[in-house]
Amino acid sequence: MIFRPDTDDSYNADKAAVQQYANKYQSQVYGVSVGSETLYRGNFTGETLLAKIHDVKSVIGNIKVGTADSWNKYADGTADPLIKGGVDFLYV
């Protein structure tokens, strides 16, 4: 599942959908990716994205939650809060 939290409206809608369906279909959901390439696009800081990831994680229980972003955001330190912040997966 991909979660795009670019605006409050999309964040709240996606969070409600994930809350409703992710646990119901847990055997079919490996994880939830929050904010795909939002660091690359400059939508969020690492700290802001980390807070959103933890918020989503708090409502879906045992399902893995992480993000995906451009390799250079991991290399230049932008994603350091995510690397250090206990997310379940980081994709490049």
Side-chain angles (χ1 to χ4, degrees):
M1 300 183 91
I2 297 175
F3 194 106
R4 299 218 166 143
D6 294 347
T7 67
D8 287 342
D9 288 341
S10 67
Y11 178 79
N12 292 329
D14 286 352
K15 182 178 170 183
V18 166
Q19 228 175 333
Q20 182 176 359
Y21 296 110
N23 285 320
K24 184 176 181 181
Y25 299 103
Q26 189 168 357
S27 66
Q28 299 170 30
V29 177
Y30 172 78
V32 175
S33 179
V34 177
S36 178
E37 294 189 347
T38 56
L39 299 178
Y40 174 76
R41 290 191 310 270
N43 298 85
F44 299 119
T45 64
E47 293 85 3
T48 301
L49 182 54
L50 180 61
K52 290 182 182 297
I53 289 170
H54 283 299
D55 183 45
V56 171
K57 193 170 182 67
S58 75
V59 300
I60 60 171
N62 294 325
I63 295 173
K64 296 176 187 294
V65 182
T67 195
D69 222 297
S70 177
W71 70 270
N72 59 314
K73 295 298 144 187
Y74 297 105
D76 72 7
T78 304
D80 282 359
L82 302 168
I83 294 167
K84 297 173 185 177
V87 300
D88 297 317
F89 60 84
L90 298 168
Y91 290 119
V92 178

